[in-house]
């Protein structure tokens, strides 16, 4: 047993010391190891741990990185559900199923693949000076289960996916040469769920190997084994629990010397040392100390990520140093208070992204701080303060980087118990989650960035609610340093410190074209207060966004490591085969602009919601699995794709964001434009004597109207300022405007595109024949006339009617959602084309395109000449890469033809945008500019479209 020693009355306060004596030693095991694949599981029975292995690998690393394993084939036994199995049956993938040309569309392809057991072996030399010390083997990242043998004797087995595997091998080693053999099994040893990002091929890959630090460590027989630090910002102290290992077999008397100093270079403070005499019996012990942090300790937060380092020196009764240990921590209190989180008593709004263990070069997460600082600095650059780790826990380097940068972490216990796995039903996973949680809390609990913990993602099981309630009760009893919730996505249960649910977002799984963004004309009035007001704890929205962008094929060359983007290779090849290879970059940029617009709508709705806890987008960077989900404004390497800058994204995703509630985004003459101006502010303190500048500018940047609103104090939370209005009496032509709201003296600003259209607009067809009758169109073309053929409602299924068009970008992807609408990624057009002379537009979808797109049908032009370019082109899902059009022009028979599948007939007086587009189209067709160059046959048109 462990003895708990309370020594508050024993404590001696002294001045600081500067002892730098250390008695611990370390030998790195990085480098060449002997190796053998054990695909038939014969190694244990045949005692491979006692014979020399002939093959070689380099560790740290994986089998794939070392070129070991099997070639990927159609019979590869993957780890992860393949929901869309069309790859194995569809004719379009046939050539990618051939030996020598295996390319897979559903996730990244490893250069080699292996699932089973493999042996890693190394001769280790134990120095003479390690005699009498405790020797441990440290394996930072094992995937997955490790079994260790030393000199032919078994040291044990471990299977944590979240924490290092550490073995005490003191009694198995000898001075001099020793044989260390490690068996790694990357099969599903515990049913955590095959889609869990801790093990799945969807993201990191189900690799076999050992990564991170590999070392032998020697420490004294009496040593400091662990330091746990519980900050108390109210009492300005920290409770410190020091665990002492006593392996001498005899009683021990000594003392601990303890002091702390902070990391603030401008206000460096070393606190007074404490000396704690103690004695222990033959057993291990825990010593509890209350350590005063001074009159004004620095408090850790996103705004002030100051750390303290606690140094503990263990001395014997003779005063000689026996052992020294250090631990970083932060003085902070993160908790749920009502419907908000608070950090040190200051309200927090979580602005988060999800990280799903996506590291394509290695196939596993890095263990160095610099790599994680790159990731987390990028997260911060895009205005976020929070990262959720989906069904996995990162290595310690991630926590250290987050501690330094002030990022709040939500961690999960390595499981997604769904689709073939359950919790709460008495299976081995139930015990594993408890054990994994214990390991995570023990290993990473001192990190101030470790603010939230959940079992994992989207659980299933008949008894999962009861199980997760008991789990949280257990966690809260053993460690109060963070907030806890049941699972990501669900369930809502009374034990939750916060609810992490998908209800408050603008597009739900399976919602298709019935979502807020697709079913109703654009506006910014809505929020989620009706939902969040039901609960007395913070609500965080789960996996919002999931808005897709077209693949960036320039990214392919970046995959120089263990995983290859054969999915991208397939998509690029089919694009070229369909005659659009030269449009790839245009598709990327146009769909990217729409993707950002959709994320802006999602995030601003969350920010408008009073009493909301925060959001987690899915996600800031692309997700390479589940059929390929290109949901990131960044690629998997956390690099920009070029269509939005961090500064642009921070306009609507930041600690302080000006907001405008707008009833609509398109206006007509005679109306009064109104915007309810708000500011959502979650900075370190209130903003005093604030001046908020509201401006309407035209497309040339000229200010048409401005007003300054003042507030004595912008408080932390949601602030309503007032109404900014403008009469729209003199609207003579269609025009794009911009509403800009900024806070004087700060970098906080936001903007919204608006459009105004004339109240009355006469449609003059001129010499153009406007018809939806293809017989009239064919006759008129034969007579040499110009014709608009309106095909809305008449397009056949094969002609494009089954392509579901919505305003938004694709949600997650079409392959993995049962072909959920929309199937397109917005539109592409040339704003300089004379078709748009009196219809203001960019090259991509913006809010003014909502009405035309929402009342349209796609036309498939795959059977027409390659040179035929759509004038208004929906960007198809990358799984199909069909050439789509809402409008195209061609020479036909003796006349000039415009084919348009936008509804330009019904209720145009209530649809000013589409009416303006029709007017612009007719003006173009009545001009000399209307001179199509590509010839098509009208019979072919009828066969293809109708």
């Amino acid at each position: 047993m462990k003895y708990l020693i309370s020594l508050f009355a024993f404590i001696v306060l002294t001045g600081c010391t500067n002892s730098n004596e250390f008695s611990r030693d370390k030998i790195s095991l990085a480098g060449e190891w002997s190796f053998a694949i054990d695909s038939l599981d014969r190694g244990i029975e045949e005692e491979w741990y006692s014979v020399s292995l002939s093959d070689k690998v380099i560790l740290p690393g994986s089998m794939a990185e070392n070129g070991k394993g099997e070639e990927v084939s159609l019979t590869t036994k993957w780890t992860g559900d393949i929901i869309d199995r069309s790859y194995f049956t569809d004719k379009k993938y046939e050539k990618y199923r051939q030996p020598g040309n295996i390319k897979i569309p559903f996730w990244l392809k490893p250069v080699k693949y292996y699932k089973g057991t493999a042996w890693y072996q190394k001769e280790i030399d134990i120095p003479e000076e390690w005699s009498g010390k405790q020797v441990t083997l440290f394996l930072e990242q094992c995937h997955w289960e490790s079994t260790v043998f030393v000199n032919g004797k078994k040291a044990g087995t471990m299977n944590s996916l979240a924490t290092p595997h550490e073995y005490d091998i003191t009694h198995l080693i000898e001075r001099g040469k020793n044989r260390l053999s490690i068996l790694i099994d990357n099969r599903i040893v515990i049913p955590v769920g095959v889609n869990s990002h801790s093990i799945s091929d969807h993201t990191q890959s189900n690799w076999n190997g050992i990564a991170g630090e590999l070392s032998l460590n020697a420490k004294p027989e009496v040593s400091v084994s662990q330091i746990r630090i519980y900050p108390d910002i109210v009492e300005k102290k920290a409770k410190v629990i020091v665990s002492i290992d006593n392996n001498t077999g005899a009683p021990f008397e000594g003392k601990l010397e303890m002091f702390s100093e902070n990391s603030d270079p401008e206000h460096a403070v070393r606190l007074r040392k404490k000396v704690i005499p103690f004695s222990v019996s033959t057993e291990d012990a825990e010593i509890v100390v209350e350590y005063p942090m001074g009159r004004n300790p620095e408090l850790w937060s996103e705004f002030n990520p100051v750390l303290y380092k606690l140094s503990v020196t263990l001395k014997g009764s003779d005063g000689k140093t026996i052992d020294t240990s250090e631990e970083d921590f932060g003085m902070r209190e993160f908790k749920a208070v009502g419907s908000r989180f608070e950090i040190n008593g200051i309200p927090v709004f979580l602005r988060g992204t999800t990280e799903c263990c996506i590291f394509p070069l290695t196939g596993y997460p890095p263990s160095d701080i610099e790599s994680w600082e790159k990731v987390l600095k990028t997260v911060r650059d895009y205005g976020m303060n929070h990262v959720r780790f989906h069904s996995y826990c990162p290595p310690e380097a991630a926590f250290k980087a987050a501690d330094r940068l002030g990022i709040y972490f939500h961690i999960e216990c390595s499981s997604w118990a769904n689709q073939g796995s359950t919790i709460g039903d008495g299976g081995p996973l139930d015990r594993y989650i408890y054990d994994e949680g214990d390991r995570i809390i023990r290993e990473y609990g001192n990190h101030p960035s470790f603010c939230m913990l959940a079992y994992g993602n989207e659980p299933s099981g008949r008894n999962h609610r009861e199980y997760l309630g008991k789990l949280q009760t257990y966690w809260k009893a053993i460690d109060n340093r963070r907030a806890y919730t049941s699972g990501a996505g669900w369930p809502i249960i009374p034990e939750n410190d916060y609810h992490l649910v998908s209800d408050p977002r603008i597009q739900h799984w399976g919602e298709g074209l019935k979502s807020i963004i697709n079913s109703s004309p654009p506006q910014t009035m809505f929020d989620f207060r009706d939902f969040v007001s039901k609960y007395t704890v913070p609500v965080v929205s789960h996996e919002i966004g999931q808005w897709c962008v077209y693949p960036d094929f320039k990214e392919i060359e970046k995959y120089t490591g263990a995983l290859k983007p054969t999915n991208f290779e397939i998509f690029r090849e089919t694009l070229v085969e369909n005659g659009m290879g030269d449009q790839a970059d245009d598709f990327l940029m146009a769909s990217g602009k729409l993707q950002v617009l959709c994320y802006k709508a999602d995030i601003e709705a969350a920010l408008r919601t009073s009493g909301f806890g925060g959001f987690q987008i899915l996600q800031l960077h692309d997700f390479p699995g589940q059929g390929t989900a290109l949901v990131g404004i960044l690629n998997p390497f956390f690099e920009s794709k070029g269509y939005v800058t961090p500064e642009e994204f921070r306009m609507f995703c930041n600690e302080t964001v000006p907001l405008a509630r707008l009833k609509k985004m398109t206006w007509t003459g005679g109306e009064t434009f109104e915007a309810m101006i708000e500011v959502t502010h979650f900075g370190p303190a209130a903003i005093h004597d604030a001046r908020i500048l509201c401006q309407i500018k035209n497309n040339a940047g000229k200010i048409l109207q401005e007003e300054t609103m003042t507030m004595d104090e912008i408080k932390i939370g949601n602030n309503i300022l007032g109404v900014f209005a403008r009469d729209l009496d003199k609207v003579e032509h269609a025009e794009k405007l911009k509403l800009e709201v900024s806070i004087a003296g700060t970098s906080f600003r936001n903007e919204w595109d608006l459009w105004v259209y004339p109240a009355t607009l006469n449609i003059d067809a001129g010499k153009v024949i406007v018809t939806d009758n293809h017989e009239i169109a064919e006759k008129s073309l034969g007579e040499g006339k110009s014709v608009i053929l309106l095909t809305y409602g008449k397009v056949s299924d094969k002609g494009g009617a089954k392509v579901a068009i919505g305003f938004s970008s694709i949600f997650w992807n079409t392959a993995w959602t049962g072909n959920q609408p929309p199937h397109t990624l917005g539109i592409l057009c040339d704003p300089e084309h004379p078709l748009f002379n009196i219809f203001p537009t960019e090259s991509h979808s913006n809010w003014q395109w909502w009405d035309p797109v929402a009342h349209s049908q796609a036309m498939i032009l795959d059977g027409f000449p390659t040179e035929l370019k759509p004038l208004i082109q929906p960007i198809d899902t990358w799984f199909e890469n069909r050439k789509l059009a809402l409008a195209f022009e061609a020479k036909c028979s003796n006349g000039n033809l415009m084919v348009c599948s936008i509804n330009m007939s019904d209720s145009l007086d209530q649809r000013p945008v589409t009416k303006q587009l029709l007017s612009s189209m007719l003006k173009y067709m009545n001009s000399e500019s209307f001179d199509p160059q590509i010839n098509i046959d009208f019979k072919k048109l009828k066969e293809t479209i109708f």
Side-chain angles (χ1 to χ4, degrees):
M1 64 176 293
K2 286 192 173 181
Y3 291 92
L4 185 64
I5 304 174
S6 295
L7 295 169
F8 303 141
F10 266 77
I11 294 171
V12 180
L13 288 174
T14 72
C16 296
T17 65
N18 189 28
S19 173
N20 289 316
E21 299 178 66
F22 292 89
S23 55
R24 298 191 177 203
D25 297 298
K26 177 180 292 188
I27 297 175
S28 172
L29 299 180
E32 186 176 85
W33 287 60
S34 299
F35 173 77
I37 292 175
D38 189 6
S39 60
L40 300 178
D41 288 317
R42 293 176 175 173
I44 296 290
E45 181 182 351
E46 297 177 0
E47 299 183 356
W48 289 11
Y49 46 79
S50 296
V51 299
S52 297
L53 306 179
S54 58
D55 205 352
K56 303 293 181 183
V57 294
I58 300 297
L59 295 181
S62 69
M63 284 179 57
E65 287 180 290
N66 281 279
K68 308 298 182 183
E70 304 163 350
E71 296 294 332
V72 171
S73 71
L74 294 182
T75 60
T76 295
K77 296 180 180 179
W78 299 104
T79 301
D81 287 323
I82 302 176
I83 303 300
D84 173 20
R85 301 193 63 83
S86 61
Y87 168 74
F88 300 98
T89 59
D90 199 309
K91 184 178 180 181
K92 70 180 180 182
Y93 292 120
E94 184 175 358
K95 66 178 179 180
Y96 304 116
R97 298 193 293 262
Q98 305 307 312
N101 192 44
I102 297 291
K103 296 183 179 183
I104 54 176
F106 36 80
W107 50 57
L108 300 175
K109 175 187 170 183
V111 294
K112 294 283 186 178
Y113 193 78
Y114 179 74
K115 184 163 60 176
T117 53
W119 290 85
Y120 302 82
Q121 191 179 86
K122 194 174 186 67
E123 298 296 317
I124 56 175
D125 193 5
I126 302 299
E128 189 65 34
E129 55 268 27
W130 282 21
S131 297
K133 292 188 176 182
Q134 183 181 4
V135 179
T136 58
L137 171 66
F138 183 86
L139 309 173
E140 186 170 7
Q141 293 185 66
C142 293
H143 198 81
W144 176 1
E145 185 175 78
S146 67
T147 303
V148 171
F149 297 84
V150 179
N151 297 326
K153 296 179 180 179
K154 184 177 178 179
T157 296
M158 296 184 182
N159 56 22
S160 176
L161 286 159
T163 61
H165 295 195
E166 193 166 6
Y167 292 88
D168 185 345
I169 60 173
T170 306
H171 303 294
L172 300 177
I173 60 169
E174 303 170 353
R175 304 289 82 76
K177 298 294 183 182
N178 295 260
R179 173 177 286 151
L180 173 63
S181 302
I182 304 174
L183 178 66
I184 298 293
D185 189 346
N186 66 327
R187 292 171 294 193
I188 310 299
V189 296
I190 299 290
V192 297
V194 295
N195 297 324
S196 303
H197 300 320
S198 54
I199 65 169
S200 181
D201 286 311
H202 280 292
T203 55
Q204 65 168 317
S205 78
N206 183 20
W207 56 288
N208 185 301
I210 309 171
E213 180 184 328
L214 291 74
S215 63
L216 290 175
N217 297 273
K219 62 181 181 178
E221 289 184 302
V222 180
S223 63
V224 176
S225 63
Q226 187 187 30
I227 302 170
R228 285 172 286 162
I229 306 168
Y230 298 82
D232 185 338
I233 66 171
V234 175
E235 297 297 328
K236 301 179 180 179
K237 63 183 180 181
K239 182 174 80 170
V240 181
I241 301 177
V242 181
S243 297
I244 302 294
D245 279 358
N246 180 9
N247 294 298
T248 64
F252 177 84
E253 289 189 3
K255 61 182 178 181
L256 294 177
E257 293 182 355
M258 183 182 300
F259 72 91
S260 183
E261 57 188 342
N262 69 19
S263 64
D264 188 341
E266 297 182 1
H267 304 94
V269 175
R270 174 177 275 196
L271 302 176
R272 298 181 70 188
K273 183 176 70 175
K274 271 196 166 185
V275 178
I276 307 103
F278 71 97
S279 62
V280 297
S281 68
T282 58
E283 303 290 339
D284 300 341
E286 286 185 342
I287 300 172
V288 181
V289 180
E290 286 190 351
Y291 186 85
M293 296 301 297
R295 294 181 179 179
N296 296 295
E298 293 268 15
L299 301 184
W300 183 94
S301 72
E302 62 185 287
F303 307 107
N304 188 52
V306 173
L307 297 171
Y308 284 87
K309 184 182 294 295
L310 182 72
S311 299
V312 177
T313 300
L314 171 62
K315 293 189 175 183
S317 57
D318 57 1
K320 290 184 178 179
T321 297
I322 296 174
D323 192 24
T324 300
S325 185
E326 296 179 337
E327 192 75 18
D328 290 338
F329 70 102
M331 286 297 292
R332 69 106 172 105
E333 181 182 55
F334 185 93
K335 63 181 181 180
V337 179
S339 66
R340 296 285 197 194
F341 294 104
E342 288 186 357
I343 183 80
N344 309 325
I346 299 173
V348 169
F349 186 89
L350 295 179
R351 307 179 305 278
T353 184
T354 307
E355 210 299 290
C356 298
C357 207
I358 298 166
F359 300 96
L361 295 182
T362 58
Y364 55 81
S367 298
D368 64 290
I369 296 174
E370 292 74 20
S371 295
W372 281 104
E373 282 189 336
K374 175 193 172 185
V375 168
L376 297 179
K377 283 180 179 178
T378 304
V379 168
R380 191 179 60 182
D381 286 346
Y382 284 85
M384 296 187 174
N385 61 358
H386 168 53
V387 177
R388 172 207 166 199
F389 291 88
H390 184 312
S391 57
Y392 95 104
C393 176
E396 185 166 24
F399 292 91
K400 289 184 175 180
D403 292 346
R404 295 178 182 182
L405 296 172
I407 304 292
Y408 308 126
F409 274 3
H410 163 111
I411 302 299
E412 295 177 12
C413 294
S414 310
S415 179
W416 183 357
N418 211 323
Q419 299 182 36
S421 182
T422 65
I423 57 172
D425 296 331
L429 181 56
D430 288 359
R431 181 68 258 169
Y432 186 82
I433 294 298
Y434 272 84
D435 292 342
E436 192 81 330
D438 286 347
R439 291 186 286 255
I440 290 171
I441 291 171
R442 176 183 174 88
E443 191 72 24
Y444 309 124
N446 290 333
H447 290 284
S449 56
F450 183 8
C451 294
M452 289 152 275
L453 180 64
Y455 114 85
N457 187 60
E458 298 173 353
S460 66
R462 290 171 298 174
N463 304 306
H464 74 273
R465 296 174 64 90
E466 180 183 1
Y467 170 87
L468 292 171
K470 291 179 178 179
L471 177 66
Q472 288 189 80
T473 300
Y474 169 76
W475 279 342
K476 293 174 186 179
I478 65 171
D479 198 322
N480 65 353
R481 290 177 288 183
R482 62 196 56 84
Y484 298 98
T485 195
S486 54
W490 63 75
I492 292 176
I493 55 177
E495 292 84 357
N496 286 354
D497 287 333
Y498 63 103
H499 303 315
L500 180 51
V501 292
S502 60
D503 298 80
R505 66 189 196 197
I506 66 175
Q507 180 91 35
H508 298 88
W509 194 275
E511 199 171 24
L513 301 182
K514 296 179 181 179
S515 63
I516 294 172
I517 197 169
N518 284 306
S519 65
S520 303
Q523 43 93 0
T524 65
M525 298 296 292
F526 62 93
D527 57 37
F528 308 118
R529 67 184 66 193
D530 287 346
F531 180 81
V532 303
S533 62
K534 299 175 184 178
Y535 304 101
T536 57
V537 299
V539 172
V540 179
S541 51
H542 171 63
E543 297 182 356
I544 74 168
Q546 306 187 40
W547 303 116
C548 285
V549 66
Y550 197 78
D552 181 3
F553 298 131
K554 299 186 297 298
E555 186 183 306
I556 292 175
E557 63 186 21
K558 297 179 181 293
Y559 290 82
T560 57
L563 300 172
K564 300 299 182 183
T566 60
N567 48 356
F568 272 33
E569 292 174 7
I570 292 173
F571 308 145
R572 181 175 61 180
E573 289 173 23
T574 59
L575 184 72
V576 171
E577 289 169 0
N578 289 339
M580 296 179 288
D582 60 338
Q583 291 189 284
D585 285 346
D586 291 337
F587 287 172
L588 168 69
M589 296 305 292
S591 62
K593 293 294 186 180
L594 175 59
Q595 179 195 43
V596 173
L597 191 71
C598 293
Y599 274 117
K600 177 179 169 69
D602 241 324
I603 291 172
E604 287 187 354
L607 293 174
R608 288 194 297 267
T609 304
S610 180
F612 200 21
F615 63 82
Q616 297 166 350
I617 69 169
L618 184 61
Q619 54 190 18
L620 197 58
H621 61 312
D622 281 341
F623 185 102
Q626 291 192 18
T628 309
L630 304 177
V631 294
I633 61 170
L634 308 176
N635 65 29
F637 306 94
F638 269 84
E639 299 168 338
S640 171
K641 298 178 184 178
Y643 48 78
V644 62
T645 66
E647 293 77 16
E648 290 168 336
F649 202 84
R650 286 201 305 271
M651 282 196 296
F652 56 86
C653 182
N654 209 339
E655 67 189 63
T656 304
V657 177
L659 298 168
R661 291 186 187 257
L662 301 163
K663 294 180 180 179
K664 52 186 179 178
M665 311 304 284
T666 58
W667 304 77
T668 55
E671 294 184 304
T672 298
F673 164 80
E674 288 186 344
M676 174 65 74
I677 307 301
E678 304 178 6
V679 173
T680 295
H681 173 57
F682 287 92
I687 299 174
H688 296 281
D689 301 322
R691 293 184 300 111
I692 298 90
L693 181 61
C694 305
Q695 297 177 321
I696 292 180
K697 300 178 181 179
N698 65 15
N699 211 36
K702 179 182 178 182
I703 298 173
L704 305 181
Q705 183 168 330
E706 65 180 355
E707 178 183 339
T708 299
M709 299 180 180
T710 60
M711 288 191 75
D712 293 338
E713 181 182 52
I714 297 179
K715 297 179 180 180
I716 296 176
N718 295 78
N719 299 263
I720 298 175
L721 277 66
V723 175
F724 177 52
R726 173 182 171 83
D727 290 334
L728 302 174
D729 293 332
K730 299 179 180 179
V731 178
E732 298 177 355
H733 58 274
E735 187 175 15
K736 177 188 173 185
L737 305 177
K738 189 182 295 293
L739 169 64
E740 182 176 306
V741 181
S742 58
I743 303 175
T746 75
S747 61
F748 304 125
R749 57 179 291 271
N750 202 356
E751 61 186 32
W752 298 263
D753 291 337
L754 312 168
W755 291 264
V756 293
Y757 299 93
T760 58
L761 182 65
N762 295 321
I763 300 297
D764 182 7
K767 63 182 182 182
V768 176
I769 305 300
V770 181
T771 182
D772 63 358
N773 186 302
H774 59 80
E775 293 180 352
I776 294 175
E778 186 174 19
K779 180 176 181 296
S780 299
L781 290 167
E783 296 170 353
K785 296 179 181 179
S786 294
V787 175
I788 293 182
L789 178 57
L790 300 177
T791 63
Y792 178 76
K794 299 178 181 296
V795 179
S796 66
D797 285 351
K798 66 179 177 60
K802 284 191 174 181
V803 180
I805 292 188
F807 173 77
S808 78
S809 183
I810 290 170
F811 175 85
W812 197 238
N813 62 55
T814 55
W816 230 251
T817 61
N819 212 30
Q820 178 181 199
H823 302 156
T824 54
L825 297 148
I827 62 102
L828 174 68
C829 65
D830 178 6
E832 301 303 317
H833 193 283
L835 168 62
F836 304 108
N837 276 349
I838 60 171
F839 183 82
T841 186
E842 300 97 340
S843 61
H844 53 84
S845 292
N846 207 332
W847 290 121
Q848 91 278 23
W849 278 101
W850 186 93
D851 185 79
V853 168
H855 300 88
S856 69
Q857 287 183 301
M859 298 179 288
I860 299 175
L861 304 187
D862 287 350
F864 290 94
T866 302
E867 298 80 13
L868 183 65
K869 300 293 185 184
L871 297 174
I872 305 172
Q873 182 174 11
I875 302 168
D876 197 16
T877 169
W878 54 89
F879 293 100
E880 300 293 340
N881 278 327
R882 296 161 293 199
K883 183 186 285 187
L884 303 179
L886 297 185
F888 67 92
E889 62 182 7
K891 284 198 177 299
C892 190
S893 189
N894 297 316
N896 293 329
L897 174 65
M898 177 76 70
V899 184
C900 182
S901 55
I902 297 169
N903 183 349
M904 291 187 162
S905 301
D906 298 332
S907 306
L908 287 188
D909 288 339
Q910 286 77 49
R911 299 168 55 211
V913 181
T914 300
K915 189 175 184 180
Q916 186 73 38
L917 179 60
L918 174 60
S919 178
S920 190
M921 188 176 289
L922 288 168
K923 183 175 182 180
Y924 162 60
M925 293 181 68
N926 279 289
S927 72
E928 294 181 357
S929 299
F930 183 50
D931 185 22
Q933 299 299 304
I934 307 300
N935 282 282
I936 65 170
D937 182 83
F938 199 85
K939 181 180 179 181
K940 175 70 172 178
L941 174 67
K942 289 191 292 184
E943 292 174 351
T944 303
I945 303 297
F946 298 104

